[in-house]
Amino acid sequence: VLRQDQDDPQCRQILLLPLVSSSDTCFRMGEVSEMKIMNMAFVYRSSQWGAKVVLYVGARERFLEYLKRRHHCNYRERWSEDFCALSFRMLSQTDGHVTGYCIWLPEMNFHTDQYVSLAHECLHAAVHILDDRGVVYDDDAKESLTYTFDDIYGNFLKMLHRFYKKTDEGNTDGKN
């Protein structure tokens, strides 16, 4: 399903059918050049915890603008130029409650180091989700962490590969 973004008429969104029946999944059209995804947001709602997790792939400045515009969220921590990836809680600008979880990667060109960075940040997101739900880390909680990580990482990989496959076939406009 292709539709215009109400906040940004120049940007189109594609809504995909859920990967898991209780999740909602969508991603934002961006740029693809030289087998690289840039300036796109992939949004996944965890089927296990109901937590919204956003993966943004692209330039830092565009990422910060996206957070403000789409999620009414500011990144409040000190930004280091050394960051090669990042994961954090999205906080409401009005009352500071957690509205979701965000992962940022500067680019995705499907090299091994980027898969490792994505896995690393998805693990941070899984830890944030469980911490915010009061899960105590003991032998019983290990499976909760691994299943939550699998859910987030696996679904983002499916979304990235699904998008890449469409563009690799020469279809960069998002239409089937």
Side-chain angles (χ1 to χ4, degrees):
V1 176
L2 182 66
R3 70 176 189 190
Q4 291 295 117
D5 184 328
Q6 293 175 354
D7 295 334
D8 184 357
Q10 299 302 314
C11 183
R12 293 172 293 177
Q13 285 188 336
I14 295 177
L15 302 181
L16 300 175
L17 295 174
L19 299 174
V20 180
S21 61
S22 62
S23 67
D24 66 344
T25 307
C26 71
F27 65 85
R28 189 176 189 67
M29 288 300 297
E31 303 157 17
V32 179
S33 64
E34 298 179 19
M35 298 170 53
K36 177 169 59 175
I37 294 176
M38 287 289 294
N39 300 317
M40 291 185 65
F42 298 81
V43 182
Y44 175 67
R45 186 164 305 276
S46 166
S47 58
Q48 185 176 13
W49 300 102
K52 177 175 66 176
V53 186
V54 174
L55 167 61
Y56 189 92
V57 180
R60 181 183 68 171
E61 296 76 21
R62 301 246 334 239
F63 165 62
L64 296 173
E65 290 170 14
Y66 168 81
L67 277 180
K68 277 185 181 178
R69 187 179 71 247
R70 295 293 298 164
H71 299 283
H72 310 291
C73 171
N74 286 322
Y75 179 69
R76 296 180 178 156
E77 304 298 320
R78 192 177 134 269
W79 190 286
S80 170
E81 295 300 321
D82 296 332
F83 287 160
C84 60
L86 185 64
S87 177
F88 60 93
R89 291 173 178 92
M90 293 189 296
L91 303 175
S92 166
Q93 290 179 326
T94 54
D95 62 9
H97 76 277
V98 175
T99 61
Y101 305 87
C102 194
I103 297 169
W104 169 75
L105 297 174
E107 66 181 18
M108 173 53 84
N109 57 16
F110 303 96
H111 292 174
T112 302
D113 60 332
Q114 292 170 336
Y115 284 108
V116 171
S117 292
L118 178 59
H120 177 97
E121 298 306 332
C122 286
L123 182 57
H124 279 302
V127 168
H128 290 315
I129 290 168
L130 295 179
D131 283 348
D132 290 345
R133 283 149 181 82
V135 174
V136 177
Y137 294 99
D138 57 14
D139 285 340
D140 295 332
K142 288 177 184 174
E143 287 301 303
S144 293
L145 178 60
T146 57
Y147 283 124
T148 302
F149 165 77
D150 288 350
D151 184 43
I152 297 167
Y153 184 65
N155 278 288
F156 280 139
L157 283 180
K158 287 176 188 175
M159 283 185 252
L160 289 165
H161 285 204
R162 183 180 294 165
F163 179 78
Y164 181 73
K165 183 177 179 198
K166 279 187 176 186
T167 59
D168 191 40
E169 293 169 354
N171 185 2
T172 59
D173 64 1
K175 296 178 183 175
N176 290 329

